Amino acid sequence: QKEVEQNSGPLSVPEGAIASLNCTYSDRGSQSFFWYRQYSGKSPELIMFIYSNGDKEDGRFTAQLNKASQYVSLLIRDSQPSDSATYLCAVIADSWGKLQFGAGTQVVVTP
Amino acid sequence: DTEVTQTPKHLVMGMTNKKSLKCEQHMGHRAMYWYKQKAKKPPELMFVYSYEKLSINESVPSRFSPECPNSSLLNLHLHALQPEDSALYLCASSRTTGNTEAFFGQGTRLTVV
């Protein structure tokens, strides 16, 4: 079974600070990595995807991928209370596009 | 537009009922998925359809029956469910199977009584 590991949190972050979320994966052959945000009672929303080593920035979000270390991270700059949610790391697990999710990290941004 | 629409948003059904969940996308995506999410757990894959053909069934009990009438629609037919089947049922789509981004619908909150 391919594994995706995340700290479950909660990760408490002061408003305006940087939230740093980490994810490791077990399948060295994985090529596609995703971050989904899920508010309580809602469905997952895709916020970032990354396929190549290095950094990818989109607004206040930066995804970082290190395939050699089998590690992907998400930074949220200038955190806002509206960023309070569970962040799910996901990896494509097979050729059919099956998403293997981590357990999710709950982020709480405190005013 | 990355919209996947699911109906109904909420469903309460008895163990002897038959009901259907519906999913629609108009993004031209050729891969569609059903996931199940229990409280405080991540989504788990149930079925994959690729070009309207069932490609993956993750050992899902036969009381769940998927159907893909055309490239835009995906249904999940429910029959003789158990209370433990209560969960958030999520439909997703992607351009194709493989290494592409998947977008989720808003889900159907199912309660089996």
Side-chain angles (χ1 to χ4, degrees), chain B residues 44-62:
Chain B
E44 292 182 344
L45 182 68
M46 300 174 72
F47 302 104
V48 179
Y49 272 84
S50 176
Y51 288 84
E52 297 94 69
K53 288 187 169 39
L54 181 64
S55 302
I56 296 288
N57 175 340
E58 291 279 299
S59 302
V60 178
S62 60

Side-chain angles (χ1 to χ4, degrees), chain A residues 2 80 87:
Chain A
K2 297 171 184 177
Q80 302 297 308
Y87 290 79

Side-chain angles (χ1 to χ4, degrees), chain B residues 72-89:
Chain B
S72 300
L73 293 174
L74 185 66
N75 299 322
L76 186 63
H77 302 298
L78 313 173
H79 173 56
L81 295 194
Q82 303 298 310
E84 58 264 30
D85 296 320
S86 299
L88 180 66
Y89 287 84

